[in-house]
Amino acid sequence: MKVQTVIIGAGAAGMMCAAHAGSGVLVIDHAKAAGEKIRISGGGRCNFTNLHTSPENFISRNPHFAKSALKRYTQWDFIALVDQYGIKWHEKTLGQLFCDGSAKEIIALLRAEMDKATAGLWLDTSVTEIAHDGQTFRLEVEKDGTRRTVTADNLVVASGGKSIPKMGATGFAYQIAEQFGVPVITPRPGLVPLTFSDERFKPLAGVAAPARVTSNDTSFDEAILFTHRGLSGPAVLQASSYWSEGAPITVNLDPAGTLFAALQADRQAQGKKALTTVLGQYLPARLVAHLDTERGLSGNIADQSDKRLSDLCDALAGWELRPAGSEGYRTAEVTLGGIDTDALSSSTMAVKAMPNLYFIGECVDVTGWLGGYNFQWAWSSGWAAGQAIRAR
């Protein structure tokens, strides 16, 4: 079988690319259904983009690489496409956009766009071998128990990273990169819960609180969630992408910086109450009990001097913790690292030394923050590659 373009991966980036790459496109995926990560994202409602998308919301060894694609296919372009299909959506928080109905509507949109472009789709199909003769790619694939050969002028790798292996995620993109001499920055889990070896937070499992979490001089103000094994919640997931093994993180339980003044006022108005009782008005009771065990929060609030209250607030604002590790790819929402952007054209996503080989989406060393940014990278990078292939 001869086609113009083979795209490996029927996820967000792969389907977007297929919709824009012109005629003669075949998308191949080993999954039984297209867009499986889209389907489970956002609690089944797909956080499909973010109103505030900018290059500053992405992590890459080259922070400038994502600018071209993000500028040429923006969040507004995808929102317009969603509106065109009559999909209702809402902003949840911090610019995060979700479907009112189901993530399946986004998958249906992408499939419809692929159908308009007459792109083919082979599911439950494994790529067993890839070769290149200097001009054309030859892929050996297994479909329906039969071995087939597909040749193509262009090959697009959109098979994602290693995150959430139960959904079929593998490091296949990195193997292809290695085969063709494309450098890979060591992948690691991102947007992932952090763990502690001593199970210190096990009694707090399920407790949530607003906080500012800082890792490697980068801070995020959102909720934290204590788990049986450590810490999760949006602020921790965000900070985890900047964390490296062995490094500390800082949790600020008073991100607004108002606790000291509030406790001073409470000392006048509620002097006979225990310090722990008053703190329980600002922090979850189980967390206060844990802090009492760690710091000895004894006595009534009337007995607390300004210095002691100040020291307490400073400690709550600068709670340094040293995670033992993370929950790994099993629960990571994204993969950090990946295809080295120095080897790619930022305008076309093609390998500079091999201009009919493209890498797009999560497998590239461009990782977004939590909140729809990674889907926007999928749309933008998929569109950029598609436009380049169509132009060829």
Side-chain angles (χ1 to χ4, degrees):
M1 181 177 178
K2 175 75 170 74
V3 296
Q4 289 291 317
T5 303
V6 165
I7 300 172
I8 299 176
M15 288 193 283
M16 188 69 172
C17 182
H20 290 276
S23 60
V25 174
L26 175 64
V27 181
I28 296 174
D29 200 300
H30 64 175
K32 289 181 169 60
E36 281 292 85
K37 276 193 179 180
I38 299 174
R39 182 180 61 81
I40 66 166
S41 68
R45 290 193 171 177
C46 187
N47 179 190
F48 58 82
T49 192
N50 194 294
L51 293 174
H52 308 308
T53 301
S54 72
E56 288 68 40
N57 304 119
F58 294 85
I59 302 165
S60 174
R61 185 173 289 184
N62 177 2
H64 302 291
F65 180 82
K67 288 180 178 179
S68 175
L70 292 172
K71 183 178 180 180
R72 288 156 56 225
Y73 192 90
T74 70
Q75 62 269 43
W76 311 112
D77 293 315
F78 195 77
I79 292 167
L81 182 62
V82 169
D83 288 342
Q84 181 184 320
Y85 277 81
I87 298 171
K88 302 300 180 187
W89 52 268
H90 61 279
E91 180 185 356
K92 189 172 181 181
T93 182
L94 300 173
Q96 301 167 11
L97 302 191
F98 290 78
C99 298
D100 286 358
S102 167
K104 292 177 182 178
E105 294 176 279
I106 300 296
I107 300 172
L109 174 159
L110 293 166
R111 291 290 291 109
E113 289 290 291
M114 284 175 61
D115 288 344
K116 281 185 192 175
T118 67
L121 176 62
W122 286 3
L123 295 170
D124 205 8
T125 302
S126 299
V127 177
T128 58
E129 186 181 329
I130 301 172
H132 188 256
D133 64 7
Q135 286 189 314
T136 305
F137 288 97
R138 190 191 81 250
L139 287 79
E140 300 296 331
V141 305
E142 286 187 7
K143 176 176 169 57
D144 302 327
T146 304
R147 191 175 176 90
R148 306 185 184 196
T149 301
V150 180
T151 59
D153 295 328
N154 307 295
L155 177 62
V156 182
V157 182
S159 54
K162 294 182 175 181
S163 58
I164 320 183
K166 71 178 181 182
M167 301 301 297
T170 69
F172 190 45
Y174 315 134
Q175 295 172 28
I176 297 172
E178 184 179 359
Q179 177 182 344
F180 292 106
V182 180
V184 175
I185 293 170
T186 304
R188 59 189 179 89
L191 298 178
V192 64
L194 299 175
T195 58
F196 295 80
S197 57
D198 56 7
E199 295 189 332
R200 68 171 77 180
F201 297 131
K202 194 172 183 178
L204 295 177
V207 171
R212 175 178 301 137
V213 180
T214 302
S215 177
N216 195 21
D217 298 324
T218 305
S219 300
F220 294 94
D221 285 33
E222 275 192 89
I224 61 171
L225 174 69
F226 293 90
T227 71
H228 287 281
R229 289 165 49 81
L231 287 170
S232 187
V236 172
L237 296 181
Q238 295 275 41
S240 73
S241 291
Y242 292 85
W243 177 76
S244 54
E245 203 157 320
I249 62 169
T250 302
V251 176
N252 181 349
L253 294 171
D254 179 28
T258 57
L259 185 59
F260 179 57
L263 293 178
Q264 283 182 310
D266 291 332
R267 187 172 56 190
Q268 297 297 321
Q270 309 178 64
K272 293 183 179 180
K273 289 186 178 178
L275 174 59
T276 52
T277 302
V278 175
L279 271 178
Q281 298 169 12
Y282 306 101
L283 296 171
R286 274 199 285 160
L287 177 54
V288 173
H290 176 84
L291 294 168
D292 183 19
T293 303
E294 279 203 348
R295 297 192 57 82
L297 306 176
S298 59
N300 294 337
I301 190 161
D303 302 327
Q304 313 300 318
S305 66
D306 274 354
K307 184 178 187 311
R308 190 164 183 218
L309 289 179
S310 177
D311 288 348
L312 172 60
C313 291
D314 287 346
L316 295 179
W319 191 14
E320 186 173 289
L321 299 167
R322 200 173 293 272
S326 78
E327 292 286 4
Y329 290 117
R330 181 178 63 85
T331 59
E333 295 199 19
V334 292
T335 304
L336 293 155
I339 309 304
D340 190 338
T341 57
D342 284 351
L344 305 179
S345 161
S346 62
S347 60
T348 68
M349 309 303 298
V351 175
K352 292 173 183 175
M354 197 174 184
N356 57 347
L357 175 61
Y358 301 76
F359 290 89
I360 59 175
E362 187 186 352
C363 69
V364 178
D365 177 35
V366 175
T367 305
W369 289 2
L370 184 72
Y373 298 102
N374 287 292
F375 273 126
Q376 186 57 49
W377 172 245
W379 316 138
S380 297
S381 62
W383 179 91
Q387 292 293 312
I389 291 167
R390 185 195 292 262
R392 281 171 68 94

